[in-house]
mmCIF file of all heavy atoms in Angstrom:
data_model
loop_
_atom_site.group_PDB
_atom_site.id
_atom_site.type_symbol
_atom_site.label_atom_id
_atom_site.label_comp_id
_atom_site.label_asym_id
_atom_site.label_seq_id
_atom_site.Cartn_x
_atom_site.Cartn_y
_atom_site.Cartn_z
ATOM 1 N N SER A 88 17.361 9.544 10.355
ATOM 2 C CA SER A 88 15.893 9.463 10.049
ATOM 3 C C SER A 88 15.705 9.327 8.454
ATOM 4 O O SER A 88 14.704 9.850 7.971
ATOM 5 C CB SER A 88 15.181 10.711 10.495
ATOM 6 O OG SER A 88 15.318 10.777 11.942
ATOM 7 N N ARG A 89 16.681 8.657 7.795
ATOM 8 C CA ARG A 89 16.559 8.480 6.360
ATOM 9 C C ARG A 89 16.507 6.971 6.037
ATOM 10 O O ARG A 89 17.107 6.138 6.849
ATOM 11 C CB ARG A 89 17.781 9.113 5.708
ATOM 12 C CG ARG A 89 18.029 10.567 6.004
ATOM 13 C CD ARG A 89 18.013 11.588 5.009
ATOM 14 N NE ARG A 89 18.222 11.086 3.599
ATOM 15 C CZ ARG A 89 17.542 11.519 2.563
ATOM 16 N NH1 ARG A 89 16.564 12.400 2.755
ATOM 17 N NH2 ARG A 89 17.719 11.140 1.406
ATOM 18 N N PRO A 90 15.881 6.551 4.959
ATOM 19 C CA PRO A 90 15.921 5.227 4.661
ATOM 20 C C PRO A 90 17.334 4.584 4.505
ATOM 21 O O PRO A 90 18.161 5.181 3.905
ATOM 22 C CB PRO A 90 15.117 5.189 3.321
ATOM 23 C CG PRO A 90 14.418 6.430 3.179
ATOM 24 C CD PRO A 90 15.231 7.388 3.985
ATOM 25 N N SER A 91 17.631 3.422 5.067
ATOM 26 C CA SER A 91 18.806 2.767 4.894
ATOM 27 C C SER A 91 18.820 1.568 3.864
ATOM 28 O O SER A 91 19.785 1.453 3.217
ATOM 29 C CB SER A 91 19.308 2.169 6.284
ATOM 30 O OG SER A 91 19.620 3.154 7.242
ATOM 31 N N TRP A 92 17.674 0.856 3.821
ATOM 32 C CA TRP A 92 17.570 -0.178 2.894
ATOM 33 C C TRP A 92 16.140 -0.654 2.760
ATOM 34 O O TRP A 92 15.350 -0.355 3.670
ATOM 35 C CB TRP A 92 18.394 -1.448 3.324
ATOM 36 C CG TRP A 92 17.992 -2.053 4.572
ATOM 37 C CD1 TRP A 92 16.954 -2.876 4.834
ATOM 38 C CD2 TRP A 92 18.681 -1.909 5.910
ATOM 39 N NE1 TRP A 92 16.906 -3.247 6.258
ATOM 40 C CE2 TRP A 92 17.922 -2.637 6.802
ATOM 41 C CE3 TRP A 92 19.802 -1.141 6.332
ATOM 42 C CZ2 TRP A 92 18.281 -2.714 8.159
ATOM 43 C CZ3 TRP A 92 20.127 -1.338 7.619
ATOM 44 C CH2 TRP A 92 19.440 -2.004 8.512
ATOM 45 N N ASP A 93 15.760 -1.226 1.648
ATOM 46 C CA ASP A 93 14.491 -1.722 1.337
ATOM 47 C C ASP A 93 14.455 -3.070 2.003
ATOM 48 O O ASP A 93 15.481 -3.898 1.937
ATOM 49 C CB ASP A 93 14.225 -1.875 -0.114
ATOM 50 C CG ASP A 93 13.880 -0.632 -0.801
ATOM 51 O OD1 ASP A 93 13.776 0.376 -0.079
ATOM 52 O OD2 ASP A 93 13.779 -0.570 -2.014
ATOM 53 N N LEU A 94 13.300 -3.432 2.653
ATOM 54 C CA LEU A 94 13.147 -4.816 3.225
ATOM 55 C C LEU A 94 12.727 -5.669 2.100
ATOM 56 O O LEU A 94 11.908 -5.271 1.232
ATOM 57 C CB LEU A 94 12.103 -4.758 4.357
ATOM 58 C CG LEU A 94 12.624 -4.359 5.696
ATOM 59 C CD1 LEU A 94 12.997 -2.913 5.774
ATOM 60 C CD2 LEU A 94 11.574 -4.678 6.754
ATOM 61 N N ASP A 95 13.275 -6.859 2.063
ATOM 62 C CA ASP A 95 12.865 -7.898 1.096
ATOM 63 C C ASP A 95 11.544 -8.469 1.549
ATOM 64 O O ASP A 95 11.235 -8.815 2.692
ATOM 65 C CB ASP A 95 13.842 -9.017 1.030
ATOM 66 C CG ASP A 95 15.202 -8.596 0.465
ATOM 67 O OD1 ASP A 95 15.199 -7.670 -0.469
ATOM 68 O OD2 ASP A 95 16.197 -9.164 0.803
ATOM 69 N N ARG A 96 10.650 -8.562 0.557
ATOM 70 C CA ARG A 96 9.337 -9.145 0.824
ATOM 71 C C ARG A 96 9.441 -10.708 0.627
ATOM 72 O O ARG A 96 10.010 -11.188 -0.315
ATOM 73 C CB ARG A 96 8.311 -8.745 -0.199
ATOM 74 C CG ARG A 96 6.881 -9.282 -0.004
ATOM 75 C CD ARG A 96 5.908 -8.798 -1.029
ATOM 76 N NE ARG A 96 4.580 -9.340 -0.725
ATOM 77 C CZ ARG A 96 4.158 -10.505 -1.064
ATOM 78 N NH1 ARG A 96 4.956 -11.323 -1.788
ATOM 79 N NH2 ARG A 96 2.998 -10.911 -0.821
ATOM 80 N N VAL A 97 9.044 -11.380 1.718
ATOM 81 C CA VAL A 97 9.069 -12.856 1.696
ATOM 82 C C VAL A 97 7.809 -13.322 0.840
ATOM 83 O O VAL A 97 6.691 -12.960 1.242
ATOM 84 C CB VAL A 97 9.037 -13.479 3.045
ATOM 85 C CG1 VAL A 97 8.993 -14.951 3.045
ATOM 86 C CG2 VAL A 97 10.248 -12.873 3.802
ATOM 87 N N GLY A 98 8.017 -13.991 -0.243
ATOM 88 C CA GLY A 98 6.966 -14.374 -1.109
ATOM 89 C C GLY A 98 6.379 -15.741 -0.736
ATOM 90 O O GLY A 98 7.037 -16.555 -0.212
ATOM 91 N N TYR A 99 5.218 -15.978 -1.120
ATOM 92 C CA TYR A 99 4.513 -17.268 -0.821
ATOM 93 C C TYR A 99 4.858 -18.226 -1.923
ATOM 94 O O TYR A 99 4.806 -18.003 -3.193
ATOM 95 C CB TYR A 99 2.976 -17.102 -0.884
ATOM 96 C CG TYR A 99 2.207 -18.263 -0.394
ATOM 97 C CD1 TYR A 99 2.199 -18.657 0.931
ATOM 98 C CD2 TYR A 99 1.516 -19.087 -1.314
ATOM 99 C CE1 TYR A 99 1.530 -19.751 1.358
ATOM 100 C CE2 TYR A 99 0.791 -20.219 -0.908
ATOM 101 C CZ TYR A 99 0.781 -20.557 0.408
ATOM 102 O OH TYR A 99 0.114 -21.642 0.835
ATOM 103 N N THR A 100 5.380 -19.428 -1.504
ATOM 104 C CA THR A 100 5.708 -20.482 -2.434
ATOM 105 C C THR A 100 5.321 -21.793 -1.825
ATOM 106 O O THR A 100 5.730 -22.255 -0.787
ATOM 107 C CB THR A 100 7.291 -20.551 -2.748
ATOM 108 O OG1 THR A 100 7.682 -19.303 -3.163
ATOM 109 C CG2 THR A 100 7.526 -21.603 -3.684
ATOM 110 N N GLY A 101 4.359 -22.430 -2.562
ATOM 111 C CA GLY A 101 3.867 -23.696 -2.010
ATOM 112 C C GLY A 101 3.142 -23.582 -0.703
ATOM 113 O O GLY A 101 2.336 -22.714 -0.569
ATOM 114 N N ASP A 102 3.522 -24.226 0.323
ATOM 115 C CA ASP A 102 2.859 -24.201 1.565
ATOM 116 C C ASP A 102 3.646 -23.359 2.643
ATOM 117 O O ASP A 102 3.417 -23.440 3.822
ATOM 118 C CB ASP A 102 2.694 -25.536 2.241
ATOM 119 C CG ASP A 102 1.523 -26.248 1.381
ATOM 120 O OD1 ASP A 102 0.622 -25.611 0.836
ATOM 121 O OD2 ASP A 102 1.477 -27.478 1.434
ATOM 122 N N TYR A 103 4.600 -22.543 2.168
ATOM 123 C CA TYR A 103 5.446 -21.826 3.183
ATOM 124 C C TYR A 103 5.846 -20.475 2.448
ATOM 125 O O TYR A 103 5.900 -20.401 1.304
ATOM 126 C CB TYR A 103 6.597 -22.580 3.593
ATOM 127 C CG TYR A 103 7.542 -23.089 2.580
ATOM 128 C CD1 TYR A 103 8.648 -22.330 2.250
ATOM 129 C CD2 TYR A 103 7.375 -24.231 1.888
ATOM 130 C CE1 TYR A 103 9.552 -22.668 1.315
ATOM 131 C CE2 TYR A 103 8.189 -24.638 0.882
ATOM 132 C CZ TYR A 103 9.273 -23.839 0.586
ATOM 133 O OH TYR A 103 10.182 -24.262 -0.384
ATOM 134 N N TYR A 104 6.351 -19.573 3.319
ATOM 135 C CA TYR A 104 6.798 -18.360 2.705
ATOM 136 C C TYR A 104 8.366 -18.308 2.689
ATOM 137 O O TYR A 104 9.026 -18.922 3.620
ATOM 138 C CB TYR A 104 6.408 -17.187 3.726
ATOM 139 C CG TYR A 104 5.034 -16.826 3.598
ATOM 140 C CD1 TYR A 104 4.019 -17.477 4.184
ATOM 141 C CD2 TYR A 104 4.710 -15.760 2.660
ATOM 142 C CE1 TYR A 104 2.666 -17.064 4.025
ATOM 143 C CE2 TYR A 104 3.361 -15.325 2.530
ATOM 144 C CZ TYR A 104 2.352 -16.127 3.230
ATOM 145 O OH TYR A 104 1.038 -15.706 3.027
ATOM 146 N N GLN A 105 8.879 -17.849 1.542
ATOM 147 C CA GLN A 105 10.367 -17.790 1.486
ATOM 148 C C GLN A 105 10.714 -16.549 0.652
ATOM 149 O O GLN A 105 9.991 -16.170 -0.341
ATOM 150 C CB GLN A 105 10.968 -19.055 0.925
ATOM 151 C CG GLN A 105 10.684 -19.296 -0.500
ATOM 152 C CD GLN A 105 11.314 -20.484 -1.049
ATOM 153 O OE1 GLN A 105 11.601 -21.454 -0.297
ATOM 154 N NE2 GLN A 105 11.725 -20.467 -2.308
ATOM 155 N N ALA A 106 11.915 -16.059 0.907
ATOM 156 C CA ALA A 106 12.468 -14.928 -0.011
ATOM 157 C C ALA A 106 13.233 -15.642 -1.100
ATOM 158 O O ALA A 106 13.515 -16.900 -0.980
ATOM 159 C CB ALA A 106 13.289 -14.043 0.810
ATOM 160 N N SER A 107 13.774 -14.966 -2.071
ATOM 161 C CA SER A 107 14.416 -15.575 -3.111
ATOM 162 C C SER A 107 15.467 -16.528 -2.761
ATOM 163 O O SER A 107 15.556 -17.648 -3.152
ATOM 164 C CB SER A 107 14.818 -14.475 -4.086
ATOM 165 O OG SER A 107 15.758 -13.580 -3.385
ATOM 166 N N SER A 108 16.371 -16.054 -1.925
ATOM 167 C CA SER A 108 17.504 -16.961 -1.439
ATOM 168 C C SER A 108 17.517 -17.016 0.015
ATOM 169 O O SER A 108 18.334 -17.705 0.601
ATOM 170 C CB SER A 108 18.773 -16.444 -2.032
ATOM 171 O OG SER A 108 19.058 -15.155 -1.533
ATOM 172 N N GLN A 109 16.661 -16.372 0.720
ATOM 173 C CA GLN A 109 16.647 -16.373 2.187
ATOM 174 C C GLN A 109 15.394 -17.135 2.731
ATOM 175 O O GLN A 109 14.340 -17.026 2.034
ATOM 176 C CB GLN A 109 16.602 -14.873 2.719
ATOM 177 C CG GLN A 109 17.758 -14.075 2.146
ATOM 178 C CD GLN A 109 19.036 -14.394 2.708
ATOM 179 O OE1 GLN A 109 19.154 -14.832 3.879
ATOM 180 N NE2 GLN A 109 20.079 -14.244 1.868
ATOM 181 N N THR A 110 15.486 -17.716 3.747
ATOM 182 C CA THR A 110 14.357 -18.412 4.328
ATOM 183 C C THR A 110 13.875 -17.583 5.552
ATOM 184 O O THR A 110 14.676 -16.895 6.231
ATOM 185 C CB THR A 110 14.537 -19.837 4.787
ATOM 186 O OG1 THR A 110 15.755 -19.827 5.651
ATOM 187 C CG2 THR A 110 14.868 -20.781 3.662
ATOM 188 N N TYR A 111 12.594 -17.568 5.849
ATOM 189 C CA TYR A 111 12.062 -16.824 6.929
ATOM 190 C C TYR A 111 12.506 -17.513 8.240
ATOM 191 O O TYR A 111 12.314 -18.697 8.453
ATOM 192 C CB TYR A 111 10.535 -16.857 6.833
ATOM 193 C CG TYR A 111 9.849 -16.030 7.900
ATOM 194 C CD1 TYR A 111 9.881 -14.650 7.820
ATOM 195 C CD2 TYR A 111 9.207 -16.586 8.930
ATOM 196 C CE1 TYR A 111 9.235 -13.882 8.710
ATOM 197 C CE2 TYR A 111 8.536 -15.776 9.879
ATOM 198 C CZ TYR A 111 8.620 -14.446 9.850
ATOM 199 O OH TYR A 111 7.984 -13.687 10.705
ATOM 200 N N ASN A 112 13.144 -16.767 9.188
ATOM 201 C CA ASN A 112 13.639 -17.321 10.396
ATOM 202 C C ASN A 112 13.575 -16.335 11.467
ATOM 203 O O ASN A 112 14.229 -15.324 11.442
ATOM 204 C CB ASN A 112 15.148 -17.657 10.163
ATOM 205 C CG ASN A 112 15.810 -18.317 11.336
ATOM 206 O OD1 ASN A 112 15.130 -18.517 12.384
ATOM 207 N ND2 ASN A 112 17.140 -18.602 11.192
ATOM 208 N N VAL A 113 12.853 -16.656 12.535
ATOM 209 C CA VAL A 113 12.764 -15.670 13.762
ATOM 210 C C VAL A 113 13.610 -16.186 14.809
ATOM 211 O O VAL A 113 13.449 -15.697 15.980
ATOM 212 C CB VAL A 113 11.344 -15.364 14.135
ATOM 213 C CG1 VAL A 113 10.551 -14.563 13.122
ATOM 214 C CG2 VAL A 113 10.585 -16.700 14.393
#
Side-chain angles (χ1 to χ4, degrees):
S88 298
R89 308 238 341 136
S91 292
W92 61 79
D93 285 352
L94 277 68
D95 291 330
R96 183 180 182 277
V97 178
Y99 187 75
T100 304
D102 288 335
Y103 59 95
Y104 282 84
Q105 71 176 29
S107 55
S108 62
Q109 306 289 329
T110 56
Y111 185 75
N112 178 5
V113 291

